[in-house]
């Protein structure tokens, strides 16, 4: 998704970590890879008493295909890509097969893949756009759920896809904050007063008018100040002016600072240098500014996702949990340590394993879960 696509193994199908709220980790780092090709049995189903509904679909796919990559962009719209056979990369005898859903995985419709034979198949999606990378044949993008595609040759993601990810992003070659204008990412008029910028986050997008994406909410840059401390700069006029904001010192070392704008809240996640230890958390309050969020009793290793309401979802060795009111609590969620987890733009929690996903509906830590399972013949 943009030049941050670090090429993973050809048997991987990648998916963007982006929602409409945030961009990148550090210099627009690559997204986390999708689950690898899976040749063993399907993942164990979640405990029935933790899932309110199970939507299972068996698609017309030959048995030699490995479990697919399943991606959702909101509670209703998602895609399935089969792109590996018997643990081997795609090829002439294993063309990519693509489906879409518009009803939350209750039914799936076959989509004509524009380049089913390629050395590498990858799928990316954000609300309003689907992108397929088909090395060495270039990129294909669709704004109508795969009814039609536009081809862009070359290894670099096309500008229309990069702009769809977020209107403001980091310019990789310079580390500056840029805005998409036409077909290029141009520096904003004034750069934030940070010595190193790790991430850029923007408020919820409203609409795309021509080449311009209109949005509301702040523009936030997060990184390090000249003294090496985590720091934030906020702009309310699209990068014309910036206001520096002090961030309380971290308890421990922070390698990368991620800023998130969503659910009416501003968050900072200070990833540890090993990227697995429980991160540092900060939240912005209108009256008191930035404050550290404690997580008493948290697991040693974890991945976190702010959910709004001063609540942070956690996936750790014991499965799902949440930081609520400064304390970590285990939750009776059907997620496991193997699941990926993120918050979709419509507020749905999305947890994924090969061939199976969980959709969490509700507010904050109060979630009801739907399991969506997709298999071949």
């Amino acid at each position: 998704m943009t030049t941050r696509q670090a090429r993973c193994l050809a048997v991987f199908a990648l998916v963007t970590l982006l929602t409409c709220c945030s961009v990148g980790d550090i210099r627009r780092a690559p997204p986390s890879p999708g689950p690898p090709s899976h040749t063993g049995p399907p993942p164990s189903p979640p405990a029935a008493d933790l899932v309110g509904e199970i939507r299972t679909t068996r698609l017309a796919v030959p048995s030699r295909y490995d479990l697919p990559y399943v991606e959702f962009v909101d509670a209703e719209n998602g895609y399935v890509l089969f792109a590996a056979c018997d643990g081997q990369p795609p090829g002439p005898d294993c063309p990519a097969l693509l489906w879409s859903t518009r009803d939350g995985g209750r039914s799936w419709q076959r989509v004509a893949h524009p380049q089913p034979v390629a050395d590498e198949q990858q799928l990316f999606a954000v609300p309003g756009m689907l992108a397929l990378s088909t090395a060495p044949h270039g990129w294909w993008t669709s704004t109508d759920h795969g009814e039609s595609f536009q081809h862009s040759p070359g290894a670099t993601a096309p500008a229309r896809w990069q702009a769809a990810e977020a209107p403001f992003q980091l310019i990789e070659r310079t580390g500056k904050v840029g805005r998409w204008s036409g077909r290029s990412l141009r520096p904003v008029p004034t750069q934030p007063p940070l010595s190193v910028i790790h991430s850029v986050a923007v408020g919820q997008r409203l609409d795309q008018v021509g080449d311009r994406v209109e949005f509301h909410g702040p523009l936030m840059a997060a990184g390090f100040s000249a003294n090496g401390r985590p720091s934030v700069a906020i702009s309310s006029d699209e990068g014309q002016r910036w206001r520096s904001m002090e961030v309380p010192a971290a308890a421990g070392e922070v390698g990368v600072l991620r800023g998130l704008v969503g659910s009416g809240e501003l968050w900072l996640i200070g990833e540890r240098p090993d990227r697995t230890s429980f991160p540092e958390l900060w939240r912005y309050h209108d009256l008191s500014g930035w404050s550290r969020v404690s997580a008493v009793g948290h697991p040693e290793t974890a991945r976190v996702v702010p959910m709004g309401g001063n609540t942070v979802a956690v996936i750790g060795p014991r499965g799902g949990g949440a930081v609520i009111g400064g304390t970590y609590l285990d939750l009776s969620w059907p997620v496991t340590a193997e699941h990926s987890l993120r918050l979709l733009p419509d507020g749905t929690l999305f947890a994924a394993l090969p061939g199976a996903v969980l959709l969490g509906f509700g507010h904050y830590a109060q979630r009801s879960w739907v399991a969506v399972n997709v298999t071949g013949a």
Side-chain angles (χ1 to χ4, degrees):
M1 23 183 62
T2 79
T3 54
R4 56 181 178 168
Q5 272 86 21
R7 296 296 175 190
C8 293
L9 294 176
V11 295
F12 279 27
L14 301 186
V15 60
T16 175
L17 282 177
L18 290 176
T19 66
C20 295
C21 300
S22 64
V23 178
D25 278 343
I26 178 169
R27 293 289 179 90
R28 306 190 64 244
S32 294
S37 173
H38 190 97
T39 57
S44 299
D49 60 338
L50 301 180
V51 177
E53 180 183 352
I54 299 177
R55 304 168 185 169
T56 299
T57 304
R58 186 177 294 273
L59 300 174
V61 176
S63 59
R64 69 179 185 276
Y65 279 83
D66 299 342
L67 289 176
Y69 187 78
V70 185
E71 165 66 335
F72 276 73
V73 296
D74 57 36
E76 299 296 321
N77 296 281
Y79 302 93
V80 165
L81 176 68
F82 289 82
C85 297
D86 301 321
Q88 299 300 314
D93 60 343
C94 182
L97 304 175
L98 182 64
W99 271 263
S100 71
T101 181
R102 301 189 193 184
D103 59 9
R106 297 176 182 87
S107 65
W108 295 87
Q109 297 76 46
R110 181 72 181 269
V111 176
H113 196 297
Q115 185 66 54
V117 177
D119 295 338
E120 180 179 316
Q121 295 280 357
Q122 302 178 36
L123 180 151
F124 307 89
V126 293
M129 187 171 292
L130 165 68
L132 302 171
S133 174
T134 61
H137 304 291
W139 287 74
W140 300 83
T141 51
S142 173
T143 57
D144 54 13
H145 302 275
E147 295 291 332
S148 63
F149 284 89
Q150 178 175 317
H151 183 226
S152 301
T156 301
R160 71 192 304 245
W161 165 255
Q162 297 181 50
E165 293 184 280
F168 294 89
Q169 300 176 13
L170 282 181
I171 303 174
E172 185 172 349
R173 68 181 184 276
T174 63
K176 295 182 177 181
V177 177
R179 178 171 188 161
W180 280 99
S181 176
R183 298 187 57 83
S184 63
L185 187 61
R186 299 179 179 178
V188 296
T190 304
Q191 289 298 307
L194 301 173
S195 61
V196 177
I197 303 173
H198 291 166
S199 66
V200 175
V202 299
Q204 180 183 356
R205 279 183 286 172
L206 293 176
D207 196 10
Q208 183 161 345
V209 180
D211 295 326
R212 179 180 177 83
V213 178
E214 295 181 352
F215 74 102
H216 69 81
L219 170 61
M220 179 170 68
F224 290 160
S225 62
N227 62 9
R229 290 185 54 175
S231 298
V232 174
I234 300 286
S235 175
S236 58
D237 54 11
E238 304 183 10
Q240 300 285 341
R241 294 166 296 180
W242 294 87
R243 177 165 60 99
S244 296
M245 306 181 76
E246 292 188 357
V247 177
E253 188 176 358
V254 170
V256 171
L257 194 65
R258 291 195 291 124
L260 299 175
V261 180
S263 301
E265 297 179 346
L266 306 183
W267 284 85
L268 293 174
I269 299 176
E271 301 286 359
R272 306 301 182 184
D274 63 7
R275 304 304 291 272
T276 61
S277 298
F278 196 91
E280 192 78 20
L281 300 172
W282 294 268
R283 179 173 178 255
Y284 180 75
H285 301 264
D286 289 336
L287 296 179
S288 58
W290 289 98
S291 61
R292 289 183 58 236
V293 176
S294 60
V296 177
H298 67 73
E300 182 177 347
T301 61
R303 301 183 302 280
V304 302
V305 178
M307 296 187 292
N310 199 24
T311 303
V312 178
V314 177
I315 285 188
R318 300 194 297 270
V323 177
I324 305 173
T327 301
Y328 170 81
L329 300 173
D330 286 325
L331 297 177
S332 296
W333 285 359
V335 299
T336 69
E338 286 72 38
H339 279 90
S340 64
L341 183 70
R342 73 180 187 276
L343 188 69
L344 300 182
D346 65 354
T348 303
L349 275 177
F350 176 81
L353 285 175
V357 301
L358 292 163
L359 302 175
F361 302 100
H363 298 285
Y364 316 138
Q366 300 297 319
R367 299 279 168 166
S368 59
W369 293 90
V370 170
V372 180
N373 306 313
V374 183
T375 65

